Amino acid sequence: MNEPAQNKSTVSPTGDNLADSPSTGTGGKKITRRQFLARSAAALIGAGLLAGGYSWKGEPSWLEISRLTLEWKELPASFSGLKLVHFSDVHLGFNKDAGDVKRLIRHIREAEPDLICFSGDIVDSHPEDLEESVPLFAGLTAPLGKFAVLGNHDYKHAEILVGLLEAAGFTVLRNRHALIRKGNESIAVAGMEDYLINSPGPNPKAAMGGIPPGTFTVLLMHEPDYADFVQEYSIQLQLSGHSHGGQIRIPLMGAPFVPDGSVKYVSGLYTVGDQRLLYVNRGFGETYMPFRFMCRPELTVFTLRRMEG
């Protein structure tokens, strides 16, 4: 599918219809053309100010919690019902700080996750912007673990950020995987380096080599478009971010700008190839401009179930 079926926002603008040659005001009193133009200009300016205030101070703080139930035959029975929480693109230091992280963590806790996955861009530029939030993230618990990959914004100080994420209790997957076991059954969580960074760059053979054949596998990859390059590998679910959903979406047009690496897959759930599902999270933070419009920040809560029959 080329367009996601979930998380589309539709807005129906409302307002008064103006006649081509308006001539009356309140009480039937005629108004001049100059008065009409002045009032129209004032209305447009007011609408712009309202939209600007909403997109700056309103929507970036209006978190949407998306809940999806997904089924696979490959999911081991002991993992059926697993609750996975996915967040992405916090961009600490730009338009988000530790106060915002507290709010995010409250919602993650309320979801009661078994597994937590973060798909990159924990900071916008500087590693010290994460320091205050390390104890907050460290307080998050999930019985099956907390996993993370780096995003393109994280590579300016990658080693420092890896240390901080590990101090927060995350296992950072850099072209490697981890097996999660329950009894005699297991699933894999794999993670790769960022697609836009040349060194070290993603290495699917290193990330997924050694995963036992037939193992249900979740891939964390910051850029969603990379899904087309790993179709030869057995991956059931890819979790990505990077796009911010476009951050600004225009009615009937969609996102006028999306970054490289998320041009084809922008927001929501997609099927890639014959069977793989890809989910693109719109991210928690913002970058380049502190605005969102028709593109709320997102936290995704998945319930994974075994398909019977």
Side-chain angles (χ1 to χ4, degrees):
M1 63 185 79
N2 292 325
E3 287 292 334
Q6 281 81 10
N7 303 320
K8 283 194 174 182
S9 300
T10 56
V11 173
S12 299
T14 60
D16 296 328
N17 292 326
L18 298 175
D20 292 338
S21 301
S23 60
T24 61
T26 57
K29 182 180 178 181
K30 290 185 177 181
I31 63 173
T32 67
R33 181 177 179 82
R34 178 176 294 180
Q35 288 174 322
F36 168 71
L37 292 174
R39 292 180 186 182
S40 298
L44 288 173
I45 292 171
L49 290 172
L50 285 172
Y54 166 75
S55 63
W56 177 33
K57 293 295 187 181
E59 192 162 305
S61 299
W62 188 15
L63 182 67
E64 179 174 352
I65 301 176
S66 302
R67 303 178 188 275
L68 296 90
T69 298
L70 305 176
E71 296 184 331
W72 292 269
K73 292 180 179 179
E74 298 91 340
L75 186 69
S78 61
F79 288 89
S80 188
L82 181 154
K83 192 174 289 184
L84 186 161
V85 168
H86 173 214
F87 69 105
S88 191
D89 297 271
V90 178
H91 287 276
L92 284 165
F94 179 72
N95 199 38
K96 291 292 188 289
D97 58 22
D100 298 294
V101 169
K102 288 180 182 178
R103 179 167 50 91
L104 173 65
I105 285 175
R106 183 177 73 251
H107 289 291
I108 294 175
R109 282 196 178 120
E110 288 173 354
E112 299 181 336
D114 299 301
L115 178 65
I116 298 173
C117 293
F118 172 68
S119 53
D121 280 357
I122 192 67
V123 298
D124 198 67
S125 296
H126 306 293
E128 55 266 28
D129 293 324
L130 173 58
E131 291 176 354
E132 188 178 355
S133 297
V134 167
L136 302 175
F137 282 119
L140 276 178
T141 59
L144 299 183
K146 304 183 325 193
F147 296 90
V149 293
L150 300 179
N152 56 302
H153 281 255
D154 298 325
Y155 280 83
K156 298 172 185 176
H157 306 279
E159 300 305 325
I160 298 173
L161 285 170
V162 168
L164 290 170
L165 285 167
E166 288 177 342
F170 287 91
T171 298
V172 183
L173 299 171
R174 307 187 68 181
N175 288 333
R176 65 189 183 100
H177 69 268
L179 291 178
I180 301 172
R181 293 183 171 85
K182 292 183 74 173
N184 295 324
E185 297 180 312
S186 63
I187 63 173
V189 179
M192 286 195 287
E193 301 281 11
D194 191 270
Y195 172 49
L196 301 180
I197 304 299
N198 291 327
S199 179
N203 186 333
K205 184 177 292 187
M208 288 170 281
I211 296 177
T215 301
F216 181 92
T217 300
V218 177
L219 173 66
L220 306 184
M221 180 66 189
H222 186 60
E223 287 86 9
D225 287 359
Y226 195 75
D228 287 344
F229 295 99
V230 286
Q231 292 194 46
E232 64 189 274
Y233 291 88
S234 178
I235 300 164
Q236 281 66 49
L237 176 63
Q238 177 177 327
L239 301 177
S240 297
H242 184 59
S243 70
H244 297 215
Q247 209 166 288
I248 302 292
R249 299 185 70 86
I250 309 299
L252 305 179
M253 288 180 55
F257 169 79
V258 289
D260 289 344
S262 58
V263 174
K264 183 175 180 180
Y265 305 113
V266 179
S267 176
L269 186 67
Y270 299 85
T271 300
V272 180
D274 295 332
Q275 60 177 356
R276 179 180 317 165
L277 294 182
L278 162 67
Y279 195 86
V280 187
N281 182 285
R282 296 192 302 273
F284 181 68
E286 295 76 43
T287 190
Y288 298 118
M289 52 185 179
F291 305 111
R292 282 183 178 267
F293 187 72
M294 292 184 65
C295 192
R296 289 164 57 188
E298 179 181 19
L299 177 70
T300 315
V301 180
F302 297 97
T303 301
L304 310 187
R305 296 198 182 278
R306 179 180 174 86
M307 184 184 296
E308 303 295 342

